[in-house]
Amino acid sequence: MTSLRRFLVISVLSALMLVNFIAALHGYRASMLEAESLFDQKLSEMAAQFAAMPLADVESPPSADDEQMVFQIFSVEGKLLWRSIHAPTQIISETSGFGEYNFNGFRWRTLVYANPDSGQRVVVAERLEQRYHLAESIILESIVPVVLVLPVAGILIWLIIGHGLSSLGVLAGILRRKAPDDFGAIRVDGAPVELLPVIHSINSMLSRLSASFERERRFSADAAHELRTPISAIKMHLHNVRDELPDGSDSLRSLSNDVDRLAHLVEQMLLLHRTTLDHYPAKFEKISLPGLARDTIAERYTDFAGKQQTIELEGDTATVDGDRFALGVLLQNLLSNASKYTQQGGRIALRLETRANEVWLTVADNGPGISAEARSRVFERFYRLGGDRHSSGVSGCGLGLSIVEHISALHGAKIVMATGLDERGLAISIVFPISVNESKNLHISNKSQKPLRIGDGGEQA
């Protein structure tokens, strides 16, 4: 991920380094030109001094011992009159003026000066490495301070840019704290001018989203009324038609089943829409899961008894923060699935377990189960194993587990699927990531010949 702050710091530091390098290069070139002019002026002054010295009557003049600078003085006839110890006996240069020559293993800057009065020729030379040392000194004095100050400049730039970008952090915090159903305009006090277009665009988007969700809410309410009313009328007409058709009419039975399935589909679609995170106005409170589970089982007890199934509730006394209606729908869908797809006389267990800081709500059965390959698809809308009609003969629309998934997401819970009872069947666990204050085992087991039903649940794929 690209960091805007890091990019700005690196860019500013790079620009500073480039500007300082160009400035240092310019300063170096100017300094070197000035230094060369000074060194050449020094050579000219030395040559003039040597040329003014009276050496005609000196048979053995003293010599100077300087490794960095040498000189030679020749008479008009070309006789060597005087030289430094390290100067060669042969004339260094015959050409008047400045030049550069190699001797004694070094590169030298030379000056040949002819005295117009005496006719003596003076040759002075200076090693160029002195000038190189000066250049290195100039470069170090120009660059080293920049390099030493660079970390301090980087820290200051980092802090300054961070302060300048703090408005982005404030904006991100405001957006992060907004509730899913909060489409009100946002404000960032003291926002810079550059951030105002972003804020205006976000507020415009929130306004459009608010209008869009409001249209969906109205559609949901209108659809609930407009769809339920004709279905109820159809059911009334079917009840009246039963008196006009022979008893046990296959057509009437098929039509009645299809109308019931259509009513179930409409209810499931509306319920799926209501439990979507962005639509459902959840009211969280402390919910006792064992109490809610007992109420759900007792409410539609006849489904289990009608198939002579054993329903068990066991586990810990757990309290979670949740929406009572939504959790009730979740339990109804899970238990309805287990009852519908478990064979006559089968077993169904609802377990509550406390593991670390999590509450596991598990509904397991010993029915046919779902293959591991199909488990990844059972939460897709309208997906059912075996197509529209399950091999068990139970009709459905394939929305039950989608509703379970929505309600789990609403509570920040995750869904875990595993093998059910007796090493067969299916076990669906809803894991709530909350702490449990109390833990107490309880066990309820019941068998009955009376029919038992737990609401209009969703289908087990």
Side-chain angles (χ1 to χ4, degrees):
M1 180 182 296
T2 302
S3 170
L4 180 60
R5 190 177 189 181
R6 187 181 300 110
F7 168 77
L8 291 175
V9 171
I10 293 175
S11 300
V12 172
L13 286 179
S14 300
L16 287 177
M17 287 294 296
L18 179 61
V19 171
N20 278 280
F21 174 76
I22 295 175
L25 181 61
H26 177 74
Y28 164 73
R29 295 181 63 184
S31 299
M32 285 302 298
L33 291 175
E34 183 68 22
E36 288 179 358
S37 176
L38 292 175
F39 279 113
D40 289 346
Q41 183 180 355
K42 177 183 175 183
L43 286 178
S44 299
E45 292 174 353
M46 291 184 63
Q49 291 177 0
F50 284 124
M53 295 177 64
L55 299 176
D57 300 330
V58 180
E59 296 181 357
S60 180
S63 60
D65 185 9
D66 188 352
E67 294 183 357
Q68 301 296 326
M69 181 175 292
V70 297
F71 64 89
Q72 296 173 327
I73 302 177
F74 293 88
S75 64
V76 178
E77 295 80 10
K79 180 183 178 180
L80 180 61
L81 301 178
W82 189 19
R83 70 180 179 88
S84 61
I85 295 177
H86 298 285
T89 57
Q90 301 296 325
I91 188 169
I92 297 174
S93 174
E94 297 282 353
T95 305
S96 299
F98 289 98
E100 293 183 6
Y101 294 91
N102 296 326
F103 61 89
N104 294 345
F106 296 99
R107 186 72 173 173
W108 299 78
R109 177 71 168 174
T110 63
L111 172 62
V112 179
Y113 174 76
N115 190 332
D117 297 329
S118 62
Q120 293 178 348
R121 184 178 295 180
V122 178
V123 181
V124 292
E126 183 182 36
R127 282 164 58 171
L128 287 176
E129 64 181 14
Q130 292 189 37
R131 305 187 182 196
Y132 297 151
H133 291 321
L134 176 62
E136 292 177 358
S137 176
I138 293 174
I139 294 174
L140 289 176
E141 290 179 358
S142 301
I143 296 179
V144 169
V146 176
V147 174
L148 294 178
V149 173
L150 190 61
V152 179
I155 294 174
L156 291 177
I157 294 173
W158 179 271
L159 295 176
I160 293 172
I161 292 178
H163 178 72
L165 296 176
S166 60
S167 297
L168 289 176
V170 174
L171 177 60
I174 293 175
L175 294 175
R176 185 168 51 249
R177 290 189 296 270
K178 287 183 75 69
D181 57 346
D182 181 9
F183 299 103
I186 60 175
R187 289 185 55 191
V188 179
D189 296 333
V193 177
E194 293 79 5
L195 195 60
L196 291 180
V198 178
I199 296 176
H200 293 331
S201 298
I202 292 175
N203 287 336
S204 176
M205 181 187 67
L206 289 175
S207 178
R208 294 194 301 270
L209 286 175
S210 178
S212 175
F213 279 114
E214 182 61 30
R215 287 193 298 269
E216 287 196 18
R217 291 189 185 99
R218 289 197 300 267
F219 170 78
S220 177
D222 295 342
H225 178 269
E226 296 298 330
L227 291 175
R228 286 169 176 164
T229 300
I231 292 176
S232 299
I234 292 174
K235 287 186 175 182
M236 293 178 59
H237 290 305
L238 282 175
H239 179 75
N240 296 332
V241 168
R242 285 191 180 94
D243 297 334
E244 302 176 6
L245 294 177
D247 293 339
S249 172
D250 293 337
S251 299
L252 180 61
R253 183 169 56 254
S254 298
L255 181 59
S256 178
N257 291 337
D258 289 338
V259 171
D260 290 339
R261 183 169 177 267
L262 177 61
H264 173 68
L265 174 61
V266 170
E267 292 296 331
Q268 289 292 82
M269 291 182 65
L270 295 176
L271 188 58
L272 181 68
H273 178 78
R274 288 182 58 189
T275 55
T276 303
L277 289 178
D278 296 330
H279 297 164
Y280 186 70
K283 297 180 180 179
F284 281 76
E285 59 180 306
K286 295 293 183 181
I287 304 294
S288 172
L289 289 182
L292 182 62
R294 285 194 295 267
D295 293 342
T296 305
I297 293 173
E299 181 182 354
R300 301 291 179 86
Y301 188 74
T302 53
D303 279 354
F304 299 103
K307 298 181 69 173
Q308 298 181 352
Q309 295 169 339
T310 300
I311 175 68
E312 302 174 358
L313 171 62
E314 54 183 315
D316 302 333
T317 299
T319 301
V320 299
D321 288 325
D323 182 86
R324 181 175 296 276
F325 171 77
L327 290 179
V329 172
L330 181 143
L331 280 172
Q332 288 184 13
N333 276 278
L334 292 178
L335 291 174
S336 178
N337 280 346
S339 176
K340 288 180 179 179
Y341 297 98
T342 300
Q343 67 279 3
Q344 191 85 4
R347 291 178 55 211
I348 300 172
L350 195 160
R351 300 194 187 99
L352 295 170
E353 300 176 273
T354 302
R355 304 179 185 178
N357 291 327
E358 297 177 333
V359 173
W360 285 61
L361 187 157
T362 303
V363 175
D365 59 62
N366 63 349
I370 301 176
S371 65
E373 295 77 11
R375 290 178 185 176
S376 61
R377 298 195 59 191
V378 293
F379 294 100
E380 297 178 9
R381 298 180 182 182
F382 303 106
Y383 174 79
R384 301 193 71 229
L385 292 175
D388 184 62
R389 294 286 180 177
H390 192 270
S391 58
S392 62
V394 179
S395 64
C397 57
L399 292 177
L401 289 182
S402 295
I403 296 173
V404 170
E405 185 179 38
H406 283 190
I407 297 176
S408 299
L410 181 69
H411 292 79
K414 62 182 180 181
I415 302 176
V416 178
M417 304 183 73
T419 304
L421 304 176
D422 305 327
E423 301 299 329
R424 55 179 297 187
L426 178 67
I428 300 180
S429 299
I430 312 299
V431 184
F432 298 91
I434 55 176
S435 300
V436 180
N437 297 324
E438 297 181 3
S439 183
K440 180 179 179 181
N441 290 332
L442 58 91
H443 183 271
I444 299 176
S445 178
N446 200 356
K447 293 184 180 180
S448 174
Q449 299 300 322
K450 297 180 179 180
L452 178 100
R453 181 178 174 81
I454 306 240
D456 290 330
E459 317 306 342
Q460 185 188 16

